[in-house]
Amino acid sequence: MARVRYGARTEAEIAASREKSSKLPDIWSTGVVAVWETDPDVVAAVLPPPLKPTERPLVRANISKVDLPGYPLGAGSVAVAAQHDGVEGWYPLVMPMSMERALIGGREVFGEPKKLGEITVEREGLVVRASLARHGIAFVEVRGAVDRELPLPEPTVKTDFYFKFLPAVDGSGFDADPVLVHCTRNEKVRKLEHITGDVVLRESMFDPIADLPVRRLVELTIGEKTTDQRGKVVERVSAQALLPYIHQRYDDPMQILDGPPEGSV
């Protein structure tokens, strides 16, 4: 009988797949990073407990094109500075990706707030334009020109905070208490340039990053970097405390109640 592809895989096949994924070469991306100060009360308002604001109310936008073999990938994120249990890092509010493959692992394994979107990184000579867009709206856009090279930073470790959860089958909350994930990334940079320009935030009902206004631009760069990541569950969190923030993950929070029409299965 021909192999049934939906059938169970052997232990050897599973082990080979894990080994292959653990030996991936460095994957380099070209991306724009914008960091700005916003209003402290805004940062505090978007952080679910037990996350807390840091001393500076910072927002960071990453807009990148990733050199994956065989196909290009657009990847982005908008995050606010946060801390938990003595660890400082970033809490992403939205992470647009240009293809489904980039969504699945991040959302299901780490709890990343990834959504399909359109990512643009363009450079013509010294002129740079980068944007994150969904539903036809470029809700974050960077425009400017490269004016100088910057010293390469030493390899560094950065932390992102995610909440991993499953909405309850009956729509009452969650199937189990959510978990808080610390995701650490080892980052290496091989090229870095400074941009003189600005960050434009456009109103979007689906991605309301415009609620985090640019009060002072702290950093605007374009560079080439590679990262790896490892996640760790650090604690279970209160479902009741997290539930008011669940809308951050979805364009329409009611979509978690969507199911097949009666009689369709």
Side-chain angles (χ1 to χ4, degrees):
M1 181 179 71
R3 173 152 190 192
V4 179
R5 287 168 289 178
Y6 276 123
R9 293 187 175 183
T10 66
E11 291 185 6
E13 288 173 322
I14 294 172
S17 178
R18 287 175 178 166
E19 183 179 4
K20 182 179 179 181
S21 64
S22 68
K23 295 181 178 180
L24 291 174
D26 288 346
I27 297 174
W28 294 87
S29 65
T30 298
V32 170
V33 175
V35 178
W36 66 89
E37 285 187 353
T38 191
D39 300 329
D41 57 340
V42 171
V43 173
V46 302
L47 291 175
L51 299 183
K52 297 179 180 179
T54 58
E55 185 175 342
R56 297 181 70 188
L58 298 178
V59 184
R60 182 192 67 188
N62 285 311
I63 310 171
S64 299
K65 289 289 189 180
V66 186
D67 298 327
L68 290 177
Y71 56 89
L73 168 67
S77 72
V78 181
V80 296
Q83 60 181 324
H84 172 255
D85 199 21
V87 178
E88 292 200 359
W90 298 91
Y91 174 62
L93 296 169
V94 62
M95 300 179 71
M97 299 286 137
S98 64
M99 61 181 62
E100 184 183 22
R101 181 176 179 180
L103 296 179
I104 296 171
R107 285 182 68 98
E108 296 188 6
V109 177
F110 294 98
E112 295 173 333
K114 289 185 172 180
K115 301 177 180 179
L116 284 174
E118 297 79 50
I119 292 85
T120 300
V121 180
E122 299 173 337
R123 178 169 181 174
E124 186 173 345
L126 300 178
V127 178
V128 175
R129 176 183 175 270
S131 67
L132 301 175
R134 299 182 66 249
H135 302 288
I137 300 170
F139 59 92
V140 176
E141 183 177 4
V142 174
R143 304 176 300 196
V146 173
D147 57 11
R148 66 183 185 275
E149 289 193 13
L150 294 171
L152 296 183
E154 293 294 321
T156 186
V157 178
K158 297 182 177 180
T159 301
D160 280 354
F161 304 117
Y162 306 121
F163 292 95
K164 182 178 179 180
F165 57 80
L166 284 174
V169 173
D170 63 3
S172 62
F174 304 108
D175 275 334
D177 285 341
V179 295
L180 175 60
V181 176
H182 284 199
C183 183
T184 56
R185 289 184 168 83
N186 297 292
E187 181 178 286
K188 294 185 293 184
V189 179
R190 67 183 182 186
K191 185 176 183 180
L192 191 64
E193 296 171 293
H194 182 268
I195 297 173
T196 295
D198 57 8
V199 177
V200 178
L201 306 180
R202 294 189 178 89
E203 174 58 33
S204 168
M205 64 180 292
F206 301 107
D207 304 288
I209 300 302
D211 288 352
L212 289 76
V214 181
R215 299 305 185 197
R216 188 174 77 87
L217 194 56
V218 175
E219 174 186 342
L220 196 55
T221 61
I222 185 170
E224 298 177 6
K225 67 181 179 182
T226 184
T227 62
D228 61 23
Q229 69 180 42
R230 296 290 184 273
K232 178 176 67 173
V233 173
V234 294
E235 68 174 86
R236 290 199 173 273
V237 300
S238 164
Q240 185 176 7
L242 183 60
L243 195 59
Y245 298 87
I246 193 174
H247 64 281
Q248 295 176 344
R249 189 68 56 90
Y250 305 100
D251 289 349
D252 177 4
M254 294 304 295
Q255 74 186 73
I256 63 176
L257 304 179
D258 290 348
E262 187 175 353
S264 65
V265 292

